[in-house]
Amino acid sequence: MPFDSYYGVFASRHTEEVSYQIQEALGTAEPQDISEAELSSLEGFDGLVVGAPTWNTDSDEQRSGTAWDDVLTDISGLSLSGKPVAVYGLGDSVGYGDYYCDAMEEIYRHFKEAGANMVGHWPTDDYQHSGSKSVLDDGKFCGLALDVENEDDKTEDRIKGWVAQLKSEGF
Ligand SMILES: Cc1cc2nc3c(=O)[nH]c(=O)nc-3n(C[C@H](O)[C@H](O)[C@H](O)COP(=O)(O)O)c2cc1C
């Protein structure tokens, strides 16, 4: 089923580039920077794909280091009951291999608290990190982890595979 009210939200440079690749693969609306978005407007969409880099290495809170950190509490208070939401993250699995894409899980958790139906868990096979807070109890990443610094040759196929999965999970 076409998903005409998808909304992509990003926060910074590589993350923005990827948002357009995901938009193209999903065939839907224009991504927006979270720092410019009216948060309550997120409630009006059929589904959301949200992306963030990790800059605040080894932080428990405010892991992204971007505008996401300022809105996490407010996101938990939104009414997103049953809405499909998928998270992707940008990180460096070599330079910051113990903390790879840590911010993804924090964002995932806040959207889940808002009642969203979190989709897009992704296998950790074929990654070279040694640690990540974004690996869930099921052994998968809570969303799509991308490393354009070291593994950009894999980005396109990863996005393709993930988007196909999202389409089978409610998008
Ligand atoms: C100061 C600094 C700290 C970083 N810390 C982490 C980290 O803890 N974990 C990680 O996976 N990547 C880390 N990175 C890598 C970035 O997340 C990565 O370069 C990403 O592609 C940046 O995306 P952006 O251009 O959208 O900000 C760090 C990068 C910098 C410059």
Side-chain angles (χ1 to χ4, degrees):
M1 186 196 298
F3 199 68
D4 58 11
S5 188
Y6 147 88
Y7 189 56
V9 193
F10 58 84
S12 51
R13 192 169 60 93
H14 288 134
T15 311
E16 176 176 5
E17 287 163 11
V18 166
S19 79
Y20 288 103
Q21 292 174 258
I22 293 172
Q23 180 207 11
E24 193 178 357
L26 269 174
T28 48
E30 187 80 0
Q32 278 201 25
D33 191 319
I34 188 63
S35 67
E36 295 166 8
E38 181 64 44
L39 272 196
S40 60
S41 73
L42 300 186
E43 295 176 342
F45 291 88
D46 293 336
L48 303 166
V49 175
V50 298
T54 298
W55 284 350
N56 277 345
T57 310
D58 200 20
S59 290
D60 283 329
E61 295 180 359
Q62 304 202 321
R63 297 177 195 168
S64 177
T66 67
W68 279 112
D69 296 343
D70 303 328
V71 297
L72 289 171
T73 308
D74 291 339
I75 284 170
S76 294
L78 294 174
S79 294
L80 302 177
S81 185
K83 200 185 293 295
V85 174
V87 186
Y88 69 93
L90 274 288
D92 177 343
S93 62
V94 176
Y96 300 91
D98 288 338
Y99 313 99
Y100 181 49
C101 289
D102 275 1
M104 246 194 331
E105 187 277 334
E106 189 180 26
I107 290 167
Y108 175 97
R109 184 163 19 95
H110 284 80
F111 275 97
K112 195 172 178 182
E113 282 170 9
N117 171 28
M118 302 306 295
V119 298
H121 294 187
W122 188 246
T124 56
D125 314 334
D126 198 29
Y127 284 86
Q128 53 182 326
H129 65 286
S130 41
S132 174
K133 292 183 175 74
S134 294
V135 177
L136 300 176
D137 289 344
D138 66 3
K140 292 182 176 179
F141 285 119
C142 60
L144 180 66
L146 295 171
D147 179 351
V148 299
E149 317 287 351
N150 308 290
E151 301 175 339
D152 203 27
D153 53 326
K154 297 183 177 178
T155 299
E156 193 178 335
D157 282 349
R158 284 173 172 166
I159 290 173
K160 212 168 145 191
W162 191 61
V163 165
Q165 182 182 316
L166 294 188
K167 287 180 176 173
S168 73
E169 291 181 326
F171 272 79

